[in-house]
Amino acid sequence: MGLQDAMNTRIGGWSSKGLSGGQKRRVSICIEILTRPVLLFLDEPTSGLDSAASYHVNEIVGLARHGGRTIVASIHQPSSEVFELFHNLCLLSAGRTVYFGPAAAANEFFAVNGFPCPSLRNPSDHYLRTINKDFDQEGGALDKKGSQASFLTQSLVLTRRSYVNMYQGSWLLLVTSCNLHWGRVFVLAPSTMTLAELCSIQARGSMLMFVAAFLTFMAIGGFPSFVEDMKIFGRERLNGHYGVAAFVVGNTFSSIPYLLLISVVPGAIAYYLVGLQRGIDHFVYFALVLFVCMMLVESLMMIVASIVPDFLMGIITGAGIQGVMMLNGGFFRLPDDLPKPFWRYPMYYIAFHKYANQGFYKNEFIGLTFPNNQAGGPPPSLAKRS
């Protein structure tokens, strides 16, 4: 493989910078050969190699002659010497098989069908040029006036691409499982709590606070996809393909279906399993508040990804920001008890948990009557506002 000069080079870490791209590719092929596989797949093993290195790399095809080994390789534009090393040839065009058979018989096949290979031309170049249909359409994109796509087109394309790449649906089961578990905590409470304690304001408030804070915290799972999207965005923006506005619109609209699904399905499980206020209007309000909270967390993590491109530090930064917001959202400490500099002004008013808690509490408590465990005492109630 021509790697004698790199014999003492350590692979991995910073020291691997001493190897070129072609040498790294040859090393990866050697690692696979060491296991003596019966079947070996090589995806473009000659990319980044010159003609001489490509020939030596493809000499591993000779392994097929010993021990009954089979090697399948995909190669773009091989040299004539490399092409002669292969026994069988498969040519594809537009996803369809054009030729599959002995490599030596391909020349006759093309000649019989009216495409003979000129005597001084590389056979592989002739075959690929003949079957290639990518450039047959008239009027290429470069000839069209106004080749820059409109903002609407950019947004639609980015939305579709981001929608395909979104994987929030993969952690939908995790959110559902969590809802089942913490929902059962409140459902199983009657065995250890009195009716008055079960229906207390504290129990319901704790449950709703969990929804507004810790459940929406799971939306941080979208951060890895944001980091990868930001890398692609930086390159494509420099090339002038689209701007910041189209990127934000595309990522926002692609997230909406997933976040709605996560808000409605696990939200319904938690809402009705615990036994909150009946009525479709109460549940719709509950799901909408949960959806908006998750959208805010997604937006927050997108901002963090644009500032902190490192995966680990980004997760830590996003979690820290949300933790500060939870602490000052009005549940753990009353607003009047918070130190005014920074914690109350402005953090208490910046934290979205403040507004989520208010919405959840008003939706749940207004109109409810709670039993009084003190004999003769009137039951406390919260009348609906006019």
Side-chain angles (χ1 to χ4, degrees):
M1 288 292 183
L3 296 171
Q4 294 84 355
D5 295 338
M7 182 182 303
N8 297 320
T9 302
R10 182 180 178 86
I11 305 299
W14 295 101
S15 59
S16 63
K17 285 189 174 182
L19 295 180
S20 64
Q23 288 176 321
K24 292 179 181 179
R25 184 172 295 272
R26 281 179 276 171
V27 169
S28 63
I29 296 175
C30 290
I31 293 174
E32 299 301 327
I33 296 176
L34 287 176
T35 60
R36 299 181 181 275
V38 177
L39 179 61
L40 180 62
F41 288 92
L42 301 177
D43 184 15
E44 301 185 30
T46 59
S47 292
L49 303 180
D50 55 29
S51 58
S54 299
Y55 177 77
H56 289 294
V57 167
N58 282 279
E59 279 188 325
I60 61 174
V61 177
L63 294 173
R65 301 189 181 98
H66 307 285
R69 295 183 179 86
T70 301
I71 298 178
V72 180
S74 64
I75 297 181
H76 292 183
Q77 199 173 5
S79 64
S80 57
E81 293 179 333
V82 171
F83 181 75
E84 292 174 355
L85 295 173
F86 291 91
H87 302 97
N88 295 295
L89 176 66
C90 179
L91 296 175
L92 300 176
S93 178
R96 297 183 178 182
T97 302
V98 176
Y99 176 82
F100 183 65
N107 197 8
E108 181 181 357
F109 171 80
F110 278 85
V112 171
N113 287 275
F115 300 97
C117 179
S119 57
L120 299 180
R121 180 175 297 177
N122 184 354
S124 62
D125 292 341
H126 174 72
Y127 302 154
L128 294 177
R129 182 179 180 182
T130 302
I131 66 175
N132 195 309
K133 300 298 181 182
D134 294 340
F135 305 99
D136 288 348
Q137 297 180 356
E138 297 180 359
L142 296 178
D143 296 332
K144 296 180 180 179
K145 295 182 179 180
S147 59
Q148 180 70 27
S150 64
F151 177 80
L152 179 61
T153 302
Q154 294 174 2
S155 301
L156 291 176
V157 172
L158 291 173
T159 300
R160 183 168 59 252
R161 186 179 71 178
S162 181
Y163 181 84
V164 174
N165 294 333
M166 290 291 285
Y167 61 89
Q168 281 90 333
S170 63
W171 53 280
L172 173 61
L173 294 178
L174 174 61
V175 178
T176 304
S177 176
C178 292
N179 283 5
L180 287 172
H181 287 298
W182 66 265
R184 289 185 62 201
V185 171
F186 289 88
V187 170
L188 297 178
S191 62
T192 57
M193 298 175 62
T194 65
L195 181 61
E197 292 171 333
L198 175 65
C199 299
S200 67
I201 295 176
Q202 180 180 358
R204 291 174 180 266
S206 299
M207 177 266 181
L208 293 172
M209 184 281 303
F210 184 88
V211 174
F214 294 101
L215 186 58
T216 57
F217 189 85
M218 291 186 176
I220 200 174
F223 182 76
S225 65
F226 292 150
V227 174
E228 297 301 323
D229 286 345
M230 289 304 302
K231 295 178 181 178
I232 300 175
F233 165 70
R235 181 176 65 254
E236 294 180 341
R237 183 192 179 193
L238 290 176
N239 292 333
H241 296 321
Y242 52 85
V244 176
F247 176 75
V248 173
V249 170
N251 277 269
T252 301
F253 279 96
S254 64
S255 303
I256 289 177
Y258 292 99
L259 297 181
L260 276 176
L261 185 64
I262 294 172
S263 302
V264 173
V265 177
I269 295 175
Y271 190 90
Y272 292 104
L273 187 62
V274 172
L276 299 180
Q277 278 216 56
R278 302 299 177 182
I280 189 63
D281 55 335
H282 287 278
F283 171 70
V284 170
Y285 186 90
F286 174 87
L288 287 177
V289 173
L290 180 58
F291 167 75
V292 172
C293 289
M294 289 193 172
M295 282 289 293
L296 284 170
V297 176
E298 289 272 316
S299 302
L300 172 64
M301 296 313 298
M302 183 181 293
I303 295 174
V304 172
S306 63
I307 301 175
V308 186
D310 182 73
F311 172 77
L312 181 59
M313 291 304 300
I315 291 289
I316 295 174
T317 302
I321 294 174
Q322 290 194 68
V324 173
M325 289 184 178
M326 292 180 192
L327 184 62
N328 299 277
F331 179 84
F332 296 102
R333 294 287 291 173
L334 295 176
D336 293 337
D337 297 335
L338 292 173
K340 291 185 178 180
F342 181 74
W343 299 109
R344 184 174 181 182
Y345 303 103
M347 288 308 303
Y348 172 70
Y349 296 95
I350 292 178
F352 69 89
H353 303 85
K354 165 186 181 294
Y355 310 100
N357 289 335
Q358 291 179 358
F360 280 140
Y361 292 165
K362 289 183 179 180
N363 182 58
E364 176 62 22
F365 290 125
I366 293 180
L368 285 184
T369 300
F370 296 89
N372 193 344
N373 57 353
Q374 297 179 358
S381 63
L382 294 173
K384 288 186 177 181
R385 296 181 180 179
S386 57

